[in-house]
């Protein structure tokens, strides 16, 4: 609840609602324990704690398949070529927004949030990358394509220029109310009220055009991490705030590609000059865990780390884990 409150308006996936958050935790437990009718229903929530204080400091999540149990809508930006010989060889392009649900079945990463005093120091990377290590542990649980939606431009009062110029005409409510409904209902209201025809971008006021595909200033760090990982803007934006959707193939995810499975032993790595910073994950379900560690690679398939990492991950020396080393 504290993380939900801190995340503020427009952070759709963390609504300040105890019932919804409890349900998410329950759903996550069910997913990790494979207690689901269909694997695509999996909604995995990772919570990050500061192992020195025990404080919960952040979270991140993976939804195995979007659009399966409720519709998933976006605007795709299409380009229409305008040309006329009759008008004196006029030739230019115009963009239009088309409502789509072409991402049905894709895996979504999101809900990345950190308390302000824990940003920097690699915590954001841990929150982001642990999701890909989790996917690497059981790739069949997830889709071939992975996407992320970034929060669009919205001010601290919940005013979104894109919404004011477009959505408001069709929904006749505030952005925060529409955002709340989309986080807490089955989204039938979107099917009912969204405009059915393409929207020409040139007909929108400049303040709305300006924020199409732009992310919230709080999301810039997350956007950079996603790009580092291999995600690219997919010419698709959020239907309410115009924020960008980025996507990539699962097999191209950099953390997955650069990670490997090793046997982990305990040893003194603090004094070693060859040890490198990286991440270690348990590489298994249901008790998936990941943490930052100082890692010394021995052979291709053996690595050494300090004793406390075994306590943090609740594993024993000799166990197989997945590691990723920082370059
Ligand atoms: N910022 C928002 N709340 N947008 C509406 C939800 C959009 C999302 N792609 C979905 O269909 O679930």
């Amino acid at each position: 609840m504290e993380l939900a409150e801190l995340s503020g308006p427009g952070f759709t996936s963390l609504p300040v609602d105890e019932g919804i958050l409890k349900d998410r935790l329950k759903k996550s437990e069910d997913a990790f324990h494979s207690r689901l009718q269909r694997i695509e229903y999996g909604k995995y929530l990772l919570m990050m704690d500061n192992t020195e204080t025990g404080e919960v400091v952040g979270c991140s999540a993976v939804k195995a398949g979007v659009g399966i149990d409720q519709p998933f809508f976006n605007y795709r930006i299409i380009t229409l070529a305008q040309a006329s010989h009759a008008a004196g060889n006029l030739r230019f392009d115009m963009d239009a927004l088309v409502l789509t649900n072409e991402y049905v079945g894709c895996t979504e990463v999101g809900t990345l949030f950190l308390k302000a005093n824990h940003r920097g120091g690699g915590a954001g990377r841990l929150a982001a990358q642990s999701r890909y290590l989790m996917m690497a542990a059981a790739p069949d649980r997830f889709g071939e394509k992975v996407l992320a939606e970034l929060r669009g431009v919205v001010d601290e009062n919940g005013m979104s220029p894109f919404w004011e110029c477009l959505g408001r005409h069709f929904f006749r409510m505030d952005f925060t109310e529409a955002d709340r409904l989309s986080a807490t209902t089955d989204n039938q209201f979107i099917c009912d009220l969204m405009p059915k025809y393409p929207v020409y971008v040139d007909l929108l006021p400049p303040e709305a055009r300006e924020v199409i595909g732009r992310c919230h200033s709080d999301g810039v760090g997350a956007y950079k991490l996603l790009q580092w990982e291999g995600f690219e803007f997919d010419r698709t934006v959020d239907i309410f705030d115009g924020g960008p959707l980025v996507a990539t193939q699962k097999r191209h995810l950099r953390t997955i590609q650069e990670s490997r499975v090793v046997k982990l032993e305990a040893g003194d790595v603090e004094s070693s000059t060859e040890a490198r910073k990286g991440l270690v994950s348990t590489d298994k379900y249901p008790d998936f865990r990941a943490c930052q560690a100082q890692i010394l690679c021995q052979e291709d398939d053996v690595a050494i780390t300090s004793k406390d990492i075994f306590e943090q991950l609740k594993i024993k020396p000799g166990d197989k884990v997945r590691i990723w080393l920082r370059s």
Side-chain angles (χ1 to χ4, degrees), residues 10 12 63 70-74 108 149 152 175 178-180 182-183 187 189-190 237-242 245:
T12 317
K63 210 185 274 179
Q70 48 173 259
F72 184 79
F73 289 111
N74 302 98
E108 181 187 15
E149 290 185 303
F175 171 76
D179 193 44
R180 193 187 62 79
S182 76
N187 283 349
F189 81 110
I190 295 179
V237 299
D238 183 68
I239 52 174
F240 288 178
D241 61 26
L245 180 147

Side-chain angles (χ1 to χ4, degrees), residues 87-101:
N89 277 335
L90 259 187
R91 162 72 200 105
F92 54 94
D93 286 337
M94 282 181 85
D95 286 348
L97 305 173
V98 182
L99 192 64
T100 68
N101 44 28

